[in-house]
């Protein structure tokens, strides 16, 4: 199983802890394609939307493109797809994390077959900054 699809209950436990902490970043891989997804707190959870969690998932560095297999599955009630990129033989993500202030930032760049294809910046304010 290369996605959360088989582990939705466990995913909700992890997300609940991250929502409680003020949000966070999940870095994952082995999905055979790239997907960036937001997981906002569910309505009625008591957590503000600023506590949204974001996942960056990218395939193995040297992976051949499979035009017939889509690994990423969006779960409409909980997932908000920001970007998905299935094509390419070599994909990797480049991260720059900054947690020096009260607002934390992650800058992400997706590189596909040696070319930067997409960039994204995510900022959040953790509940407790140490």
């Amino acid at each position: 199983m290369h996605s959360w699809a088989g582990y939705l209950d466990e995913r909700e436990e992890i997300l609940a802890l991250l929502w409680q902490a003020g949000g966070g970043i999940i870095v994952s891989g082995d999905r055979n394609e790239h997907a960036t997804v937001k997981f906002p707190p569910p309505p009625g959870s008591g957590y503000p939307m600023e506590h949204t969690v974001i996942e960056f998932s990218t395939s193995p560095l040297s992976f051949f493109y499979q035009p017939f297999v889509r690994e990423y599955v969006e779960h409409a009630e909980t997932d908000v797809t920001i970007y998905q990129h299935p094509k390419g033989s070599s994909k990797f993500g480049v991260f720059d994390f900054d947690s020096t202030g009260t607002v934390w930032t992650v800058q992400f760049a997706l590189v596909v077959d040696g070319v930067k294809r997409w960039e994204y910046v995510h900022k959040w304010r953790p509940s407790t900054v140490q």
Side-chain angles (χ1 to χ4, degrees):
M1 182 81 39
H2 290 117
S3 72
W4 286 110
Y7 309 98
L8 294 178
D9 291 336
E10 293 84 352
R11 179 184 82 168
E12 291 305 308
E13 289 180 32
I14 293 168
L15 290 174
L17 291 170
L18 291 169
W19 292 325
Q20 182 180 10
I25 302 293
I26 297 172
V27 178
S28 64
D30 201 23
R31 189 180 266 158
N32 303 331
E33 60 193 6
H34 171 79
T36 297
V37 181
K38 282 187 179 180
F39 300 101
S45 68
Y47 300 116
M49 292 311 261
E50 293 81 29
H51 289 204
T52 292
V53 174
I54 188 166
E55 177 186 21
F56 298 96
S57 180
T58 302
S59 66
L61 180 58
S62 59
F63 182 80
F64 57 92
Y65 171 57
Q66 293 182 3
F68 49 86
V69 176
R70 297 278 73 81
E71 294 286 341
Y72 172 66
V73 177
E74 182 177 77
H75 301 280
E77 297 97 35
T78 58
D79 306 12
V80 179
T81 303
I82 299 170
Y83 185 76
Q84 181 182 11
H85 192 99
K87 296 183 179 179
S89 296
S90 172
K91 294 186 264 323
F92 65 90
V94 179
F95 293 89
D96 182 22
F97 292 93
D98 181 357
S99 60
T100 58
T102 58
V103 176
W104 293 5
T105 303
V106 61
Q107 296 180 344
F108 175 81
L110 174 66
V111 179
V112 179
D113 296 332
V115 177
K116 187 187 304 181
R117 296 287 180 174
W118 185 68
E119 294 179 287
Y120 186 78
V121 176
H122 180 70
K123 297 182 180 199
W124 77 103
R125 186 181 308 273
S127 293
T128 306
V129 178
Q130 299 180 11

